[in-house]
Amino acid sequence: MRLDVVTIFPEYLDPLNVSLVGKARARGQLDVRVHDLRAWTYDRHNTVDDTPYGGGPGMVMKTEPWGDALDSVLADGYEAGSHAPALIVPTPSGRPFTQELAVELSERPWLVFTPARYEGIDRRVIDEYATRMPVYEVSIGDYVLAGGEAAVLVVTEAVARLLPGVLGNAESHRDDSFAPGAMANLLEGPVYTKPPEWRGREIPDVLLSGHHGKIARWRRDEALRRTAANRPDLIETCDPKAFDKKDREM
Ligand SMILES: CN1CCC[C@H](Cn2ccc3ccc(-c4n[nH]c(N)c4C#N)cc32)C1
């Protein structure tokens, strides 16, 4: 998979050099290219913004730098293979970014991110590229950030960990929250490791029992309890029949 990011803060994407994404890049599983939008400005001040038509607060990012930047990035054609790019536009007015959408994006060969700043990008840029490729306007949550770069980090990590070979078996995303199956749409339960006693706090006996069926049932019950407490909205989306089937397997 290839990821391109066009931004006025390229250094904001430095975390893509470390940890899971950094390792995937080093192994050649991920090709990440970060571009400074100001490289496509030609005035003395490297201007990327201007006042909004119709008035209002803040500034709007100009069409020309974005158009020149995206044309340049897309011209690569990704070795002119059958690599259809998709544009990923972080915005508070976008569709919620979910695990389901992460799975959908992880199946695409090429993602081009356009994290904006100020009050966003002149709408004509999105409309222009929507004539050429799929555009995903996504929001990472119901709060307002100052720009889209944090969303690029979030989406990239959520997508990269789903790519084949990026997570080792030990870190499998099989039991992820929101992954399909009996644990679908359930939050993770509590986790424990050595020492067996810490400041008078011990490990739940079932986890020391070695009885895999009981452990699996306990973990599911804990996930249900935590989901009911923190995300009751997800409870209705669970498939109770999946639990019966899972119980029969335990
Ligand atoms: C007051 N104005 C309102 C419009 C947005 C302005 C800041 N901004 C400019 C570009 C941009 C991109 C994403 C986000 C963002 N905020 N919250 C999320 N979940 C996001 C996501 N993905 C925010 C952004 C601030």
Side-chain angles (χ1 to χ4, degrees), residues 229-248:
N230 296 339
R231 288 294 304 273
D233 58 298
L234 293 178
I235 290 291
E236 293 88 55
T237 63
C238 293
D239 173 8
K241 290 190 297 298
F243 292 123
D244 297 339
K245 177 176 177 300
K246 195 84 179 171
D247 276 338
R248 285 194 297 276

Side-chain angles (χ1 to χ4, degrees), residues 90-92 115-120 138-148 151:
T91 169
R117 286 275 155 170
Y118 306 100
E119 292 309 306
V138 301
S139 168
I140 60 168
D142 292 340
Y143 39 78
V144 181
L145 302 168

Side-chain angles (χ1 to χ4, degrees), residues 85 124 133 145 153 156 169-170 180 189 238:
R124 291 172 291 180
M133 67 196 72
L145 302 168
L153 296 178
T156 298
N169 284 339
C238 293

Side-chain angles (χ1 to χ4, degrees), residues 50-200:
D50 205 333
T51 53
Y53 277 121
M59 303 290 275
V60 174
M61 300 192 88
K62 294 173 58 63
T63 55
E64 299 96 324
W66 280 106
D68 292 350
L70 290 175
D71 285 351
S72 172
V73 167
L74 294 167
D76 183 8
Y78 193 9
E79 287 85 43
S82 59
H83 301 98
L87 208 64
I88 315 298
V89 184
T91 169
S93 57
R95 64 189 275 200
F97 178 65
T98 61
Q99 188 66 16
E100 183 181 5
L101 183 50
V103 170
E104 180 177 339
L105 295 181
S106 72
E107 291 160 356
R108 298 196 65 92
W110 187 7
L111 304 179
V112 180
F113 289 91
T114 61
R117 286 275 155 170
Y118 306 100
E119 292 309 306
I121 303 172
D122 185 308
R123 184 67 207 176
R124 291 172 291 180
V125 174
I126 312 306
D127 293 345
E128 166 69 9
Y129 290 91
T131 65
R132 308 184 203 178
M133 67 196 72
V135 173
Y136 294 80
E137 295 185 77
V138 301
S139 168
I140 60 168
D142 292 340
Y143 39 78
V144 181
L145 302 168
E149 285 80 6
V152 175
L153 296 178
V154 166
V155 173
T156 298
E157 180 156 323
V159 166
R161 64 187 295 278
L162 296 172
L163 297 178
V166 171
L167 282 187
N169 284 339
E171 307 158 285
S172 163
H173 49 74
R174 179 178 59 86
D175 290 338
D176 276 354
S177 291
F178 314 111
M183 299 297 275
N185 287 347
L186 283 183
L187 304 179
E188 270 96 8
V191 290
Y192 300 85
T193 187
K194 295 184 281 296
E197 188 271 333
W198 176 72
R199 297 187 183 179

